[in-house]
Amino acid sequence: MQSEDARYLKRIRLKSLNTNTDVAALARKVVEECKLIHPSKLSEVEQLLFYLQNRKKASGKEKRVVKPRDLTPFEGMEIDEEANINKVEEYVELLYEGMEEKVKGATLILHLARNPVNLEELLENETALGALARVLREDWKQSVELATTIIYVFFCFSSFSQFHGLVTHYKIGALCMNVMEHELKRYDLWQDELQKKTRTYILHFRLWVWALRKEHEKAFKKYQGLLVKQEQLLRVALYLLLNLAEDTRTELKMRNKNIVHMLVKTLDRENEELLVLVVSFLKKLSIFLENKNDMAEVDTVERLSRLVPCEHEDLLNITLRLLLNLSFDTGLRIKMVQVGLLPKLTSLLGDENHKQMAMCILYHISVDDRFKSMFAYTDCIPQLMKMLFEHGEERIDAELISFCINLAANKKNAQLICEGNGLKMLMKRALKLKDPLLMKMIRNISQHDGPPKHLFIDYVGDLAAQITPDENEEYVIECLGTLANLTIADLDWELVLKEYNLVPYFKDRLKPGSAEDDLILEVVIMIGTVSMDDSCAAMLAKSGIIPAIIELLNAQQEDDEFVCQIVYVFYQMVFHQATREVIIKETQAPAYLIDLMHDKNAEIRKVCDNTLDIIAEYDEEWGRKTQREKFRWHNSQWLEMVESRQMEEGEPFMYGEDGEMDRPDLFYSTDGITPASGAVSPDFFSDPYAQNGDGQHGYDSETNFNTLKHY
């Protein structure tokens, strides 16, 4: 029972309360011994005890998560006297005495501050808070215990957002930053001193210098004692700063005072509770780009790698979460691989508590093609395959399937995935559930030449059967993409097209706007693949699919991917006599190819040039048109250059005044040199084989263009 005045608060400690306690008997005992509780309240006491018993039982099953407000008491907080809120003035008086009295006074105030009920009353006592802030500012270097206790008092206030203004008013945050910086420097000095004594001890160990041994043990014991007290101080200071960092403006001030570097430096400690706090703070800071960049400048990843894995569950969990935030940075992902985190993270895939975090980090690493092959040298892929098959008919987690899709893009990984019945099981599941993401993984496997690709011969029919207007478009896209990757010489594509009636489907989907662009593009790629077969190319030509492709080219002429794939279809078809005649005689495809010869995209230009070269070998008229266009293009470039130079320099003559036109030896003729007049007609390039050096003139078109451009 609690009255308005905390003096009348009666605490009853039930040391014997456990899961086997008789609650009814204990309630009667409490009522009998506590005179403040009326016997009529027996049933209420019994209900309260039953609630406490069950709460204790439930909390015992859960793993404790360390939170900022769970700061546990530390050594030195014990005191014989019981703190009383009415004696605050007496405790403040102690702050003006010697060091021992100051510690006692601060400790008594701390005992009051740990009870949230007292905080508002302490808040009104400006004398007490002002005295605490003054003593901390003046004496924190003289006593670690005093500094720890006073900062703890202000930490109690910082646990509640409404009191942050008070903590800021007394500039406790800035003091804590100074304390941290000072203590970290002291730690470095202790380390250097201890290492010197250790080296001396090792050097004289064989000489049985017992005095040195005793001195070394004494120094180490002193170091351990100092370290414990220092880490208590660091914990309290960091907790307070973490609470204040709720305000982003305050957090920015901390960053300006180099908080990130100090936190990273603290990662070398062995105290797990301190490390949980430090890593939690770094995780909070890491969501901002500037802080993440600060972490990238120092060896944050290297220091974190030693914490993976570790026995402390909370520390491991928060470390993985910090690494996940950092893994969005390419440079930090590279560091993670360099410090050997990849096999460590892979080993955590079998841990149910940390599997999700580890998988997300590994997924980010797998995005980089440089690191995909490294997964083949771990047990990652067998574990992932096991997880895939354990899902049964449930939908696969997005993280898991995305990770598998990335890994399947590497040839070595694809081979490991296909080992045993791997591909068979994947195909069976994908076809049954019609899962587009799982089919995307299969599609990535199919792109690799070698043994994995030949395994797909058994599934060509199953994949072709999925290509129907009724199926989900995303799923059909992946099935088409998988089939398009199967560039296998022994595959009878004509039989596949006929058996599954795919040509009408292709023709319908080639109409602009008939489906999503991604699906139409996959149809074009599929046509390019099957056009490698002579009989398939002829079948497609007879079906009237080529005009449909040209119409699609007109509609998608701004999309480089579409243009490149359509030109590739023409490239495949001109290899076969049946389709070559159709393309050259019955369509305007060569004209479109000539227009695309000078496209900005290098890949499009390359495929166009190769296709036109083949057309020129079999059709003289298109060969002349191609040469004429090349001539016109190169000379137009040259003329534009000359005109621009003439305008800039104001020259009266196009060719200058140095008599260049009077040198007939610089002009080509049918015998290698042109007449002195320099007149060259486009009809001169009538031989379609001239560009390949096979004609009777021995003419090199590239040489001539370069010569013209020289002038």
Side-chain angles (χ1 to χ4, degrees):
M1 317 302 287
Q2 183 178 337
S3 66
E4 294 181 0
D5 197 326
R7 289 178 294 174
Y8 304 106
L9 178 66
K10 176 66 175 177
R11 288 190 178 89
I12 302 174
R13 302 188 182 279
L14 303 172
K15 297 181 180 179
S16 60
L17 182 63
N18 55 52
T19 55
N20 300 318
T21 301
D22 184 347
V23 175
L26 182 59
R28 287 194 298 271
K29 185 178 179 181
V30 169
V31 172
E32 289 172 4
E33 294 186 0
C34 184
K35 303 304 180 183
L36 297 175
I37 303 176
H38 194 271
S40 63
K41 302 290 186 181
L42 177 63
S43 60
E44 293 182 23
V45 173
E46 187 174 339
Q47 288 177 0
L48 181 60
L49 291 175
F50 179 76
Y51 164 73
L52 292 172
Q53 185 184 46
N54 285 292
R55 187 184 68 172
K56 191 171 182 180
K57 187 191 303 181
S59 63
K61 295 178 181 177
E62 298 175 359
K63 293 186 178 179
R64 181 174 177 275
V65 179
V66 178
K67 297 179 181 178
R69 296 178 186 176
D70 292 341
L71 188 57
T72 53
F74 53 87
E75 186 180 351
M77 275 185 59
E78 302 84 4
I79 196 166
D80 297 334
E81 183 179 346
E82 185 175 351
N84 190 323
I85 192 67
N86 296 315
K87 297 182 179 180
V88 174
E89 300 302 329
E90 296 178 17
Y91 306 153
V92 173
E93 291 296 328
L94 294 173
L95 297 176
Y96 294 91
E97 304 295 332
M99 189 58 65
E100 188 176 340
E101 287 77 13
K102 287 179 180 178
V103 173
K104 181 181 178 181
T107 304
L108 287 165
I109 295 174
L110 172 58
H111 278 265
L112 294 173
R114 291 191 68 208
N115 185 353
V117 176
N118 298 324
L119 289 179
E120 289 190 5
E121 191 166 342
L122 287 172
L123 180 65
E124 295 174 1
N125 195 329
E126 295 183 5
T127 306
L129 296 176
L132 286 169
R134 178 189 59 78
V135 172
L136 177 62
R137 192 162 45 251
E138 294 176 356
D139 298 335
W140 66 266
K141 288 185 180 180
Q142 299 179 31
S143 172
V144 174
E145 290 87 349
L146 179 63
T148 306
T149 305
I150 296 178
I151 292 174
Y152 202 151
V153 172
F154 286 101
F155 160 76
C156 294
F157 284 98
S158 73
S159 297
F160 301 92
S161 300
Q162 60 266 39
F163 297 140
H164 283 187
L166 165 77
V167 181
T168 305
H169 173 71
Y170 289 107
K171 300 183 179 179
I172 304 302
L175 273 172
C176 287
M177 293 290 293
N178 294 337
V179 168
M180 276 192 63
E181 185 178 7
H182 177 75
E183 292 301 325
L184 290 173
K185 289 179 180 178
R186 287 181 65 194
Y187 177 76
D188 291 339
L189 292 173
W190 294 346
Q191 288 282 79
D192 292 341
E193 186 179 347
L194 186 64
Q195 286 176 5
K196 288 177 183 178
K197 291 188 176 181
T198 302
R199 283 196 296 267
T200 305
Y201 169 66
I202 293 173
L203 186 63
H204 296 88
F205 179 75
R206 293 186 178 181
L207 301 177
W208 297 90
V209 182
W210 294 103
L212 283 175
R213 179 179 178 181
K214 191 173 181 180
E215 184 182 348
H216 175 265
E217 290 176 353
K218 182 180 178 182
F220 185 74
K221 190 174 180 180
K222 179 183 177 182
Y223 166 76
Q224 293 283 29
L226 292 171
L227 194 61
V228 169
K229 291 182 179 180
Q230 186 188 68
E231 289 179 346
Q232 289 171 352
L233 174 58
L234 289 175
R235 279 184 62 212
V236 179
L238 281 172
Y239 263 126
L240 185 144
L241 291 171
L242 181 57
N243 286 345
L244 294 181
E246 288 178 5
D247 185 343
T248 53
R249 292 170 299 178
T250 305
E251 184 179 305
L252 180 59
K253 291 178 183 178
M254 294 180 192
R255 178 184 176 265
N256 293 336
K257 291 197 172 186
N258 219 15
I259 184 68
V260 172
H261 287 208
M262 285 192 274
L263 289 169
V264 172
K265 200 171 182 181
T266 314
L267 288 173
D268 289 336
R269 305 300 179 102
E270 298 297 331
N271 187 309
E272 291 179 336
E273 291 185 350
L274 176 62
L275 287 172
V276 168
L277 172 60
V278 171
V279 179
S280 299
F281 208 151
L282 285 170
K283 174 183 166 292
K284 183 184 185 306
L285 294 171
S286 67
I287 64 175
F288 293 101
L289 178 65
E290 296 82 2
N291 296 330
K292 184 268 296 177
N293 291 339
D294 287 346
M295 294 179 202
E297 291 175 1
V298 291
D299 52 351
T300 308
V301 173
E302 290 85 338
R303 293 173 190 253
L304 288 172
S305 65
R306 75 180 185 89
L307 303 178
V308 181
C310 67
E311 295 180 1
H312 197 288
E313 289 288 314
D314 293 328
L315 178 56
L316 179 56
N317 180 268
I318 199 68
T319 301
L320 291 175
R321 290 178 182 276
L322 172 57
L323 287 170
L324 177 59
N325 284 359
L326 298 179
S327 67
F328 285 89
D329 183 275
T330 305
L332 291 173
R333 286 202 301 271
I334 293 172
K335 284 187 179 179
M336 289 179 193
V337 175
Q338 290 174 343
V339 299
L341 269 175
L342 196 146
K344 291 181 178 182
L345 293 168
T346 300
S347 67
L348 292 175
L349 291 176
D351 188 331
E352 201 62 35
N353 294 327
H354 306 293
K355 176 175 68 176
Q356 196 75 2
M357 282 297 108
M359 189 180 298
C360 290
I361 300 169
L362 289 170
Y363 165 75
H364 283 171
I365 294 174
S366 70
V367 170
D368 197 320
D369 290 335
R370 291 172 292 179
F371 305 135
K372 284 185 173 73
S373 61
M374 299 180 70
F375 287 90
Y377 303 99
T378 67
D379 62 342
C380 180
I381 292 174
Q383 290 191 71
L384 294 178
M385 294 297 287
K386 183 182 177 183
M387 291 179 203
L388 281 176
F389 300 138
E390 282 177 351
H391 272 77
E393 295 189 3
E394 298 175 4
R395 193 161 190 85
I396 302 171
D397 296 335
E399 294 84 1
L400 173 58
I401 190 61
S402 302
F403 187 22
C404 292
I405 289 169
N406 282 356
L407 293 183
N410 176 264
K411 186 174 182 179
K412 180 66 176 175
N413 293 336
Q415 291 174 347
L416 290 174
I417 292 170
C418 294
E419 280 186 357
N421 292 323
L423 181 60
K424 181 180 178 181
M425 297 293 289
L426 288 174
M427 286 296 303
K428 183 178 178 180
R429 181 183 174 85
L431 294 171
K432 183 178 180 180
L433 302 179
K434 300 189 183 301
D435 187 340
L437 291 178
L438 192 55
M439 189 57 74
K440 185 183 287 289
M441 176 185 175
I442 294 170
R443 176 182 177 178
N444 279 356
I445 296 172
S446 69
Q447 71 184 348
H448 305 294
D449 294 327
K453 182 169 286 191
H454 288 82
L455 294 174
F456 281 88
I457 293 177
D458 297 335
Y459 307 105
V460 171
D462 295 324
L463 290 167
Q466 310 304 310
I467 303 171
T468 63
D470 301 328
E471 289 289 354
N472 176 272
E473 282 195 0
E474 290 184 9
Y475 178 63
V476 173
I477 287 171
E478 302 307 330
C479 292
L480 275 170
T482 305
L483 285 171
N485 285 335
L486 304 182
T487 52
I488 304 172
D490 300 333
L491 197 54
D492 190 348
W493 283 115
E494 183 184 13
L495 180 63
V496 174
L497 295 182
K498 286 181 178 178
E499 185 172 345
Y500 297 97
N501 198 28
L502 293 180
V503 175
Y505 178 87
F506 291 165
K507 195 171 179 181
D508 289 341
R509 287 292 177 265
L510 286 175
K511 296 175 183 176
S514 63
E516 292 292 330
D517 284 353
D518 288 343
L519 178 57
I520 299 174
L521 179 61
E522 290 302 329
V523 170
V524 174
I525 296 171
M526 182 67 184
I527 292 171
T529 298
V530 300
S531 295
M532 296 170 64
D533 184 275
D534 191 14
S535 54
C536 277
M539 186 193 310
L540 292 171
K542 289 177 183 177
S543 70
I545 216 166
I546 295 176
I549 292 176
I550 293 175
E551 184 182 351
L552 180 64
L553 178 60
N554 284 328
Q556 300 286 354
Q557 57 186 327
E558 299 300 325
D559 191 317
D560 283 358
E561 184 66 23
F562 262 104
V563 173
C564 192
Q565 294 298 340
I566 290 172
V567 173
Y568 179 74
V569 171
F570 293 149
Y571 174 73
Q572 288 292 349
M573 287 189 168
V574 296
F575 275 108
H576 313 294
Q577 184 176 356
T579 50
R580 186 189 310 124
E581 293 297 323
V582 174
I583 288 175
I584 295 175
K585 304 296 183 185
E586 301 178 15
T587 72
Q588 289 298 311
Y592 282 103
L593 292 172
I594 289 175
D595 287 341
L596 292 169
M597 276 188 352
H598 314 302
D599 194 271
K600 294 179 181 179
N601 189 299
E603 290 298 321
I604 293 175
R605 292 200 304 271
K606 182 179 177 182
V607 181
C608 278
D609 287 343
N610 292 338
T611 309
L612 287 170
D613 285 348
I614 297 171
I615 291 173
E617 290 181 11
Y618 294 96
D619 190 281
E620 293 185 4
E621 183 181 352
W622 281 113
R624 285 194 297 272
K625 289 180 180 179
T626 303
Q627 290 287 13
R628 194 177 295 120
E629 174 59 23
K630 288 184 177 180
F631 179 88
R632 186 199 65 76
W633 173 260
H634 282 278
N635 279 279
S636 67
Q637 297 280 307
W638 169 70
L639 288 171
E640 286 177 10
M641 180 192 72
V642 171
E643 287 174 3
S644 63
R645 287 181 60 185
Q646 183 177 346
M647 291 178 66
E648 289 174 4
E649 299 175 9
E651 294 180 359
F653 303 104
M654 182 179 292
Y655 295 99
E657 301 177 355
D658 52 359
E660 289 157 329
M661 294 302 295
D662 296 330
R663 295 180 58 191
D665 58 305
L666 295 179
F667 296 90
Y668 290 95
S669 70
T670 53
D671 296 323
I673 304 294
T674 62
S677 63
V680 182
S681 168
D683 293 332
F684 170 73
F685 305 102
S686 60
D687 191 342
Y689 301 100
Q691 63 176 327
N692 296 323
D694 297 330
Q696 60 182 348
H697 303 299
Y699 173 74
D700 187 342
S701 62
E702 291 296 328
T703 305
N704 189 50
F705 294 146
N706 291 335
T707 305
L708 287 172
K709 286 159 72 174
H710 175 73
Y711 293 104

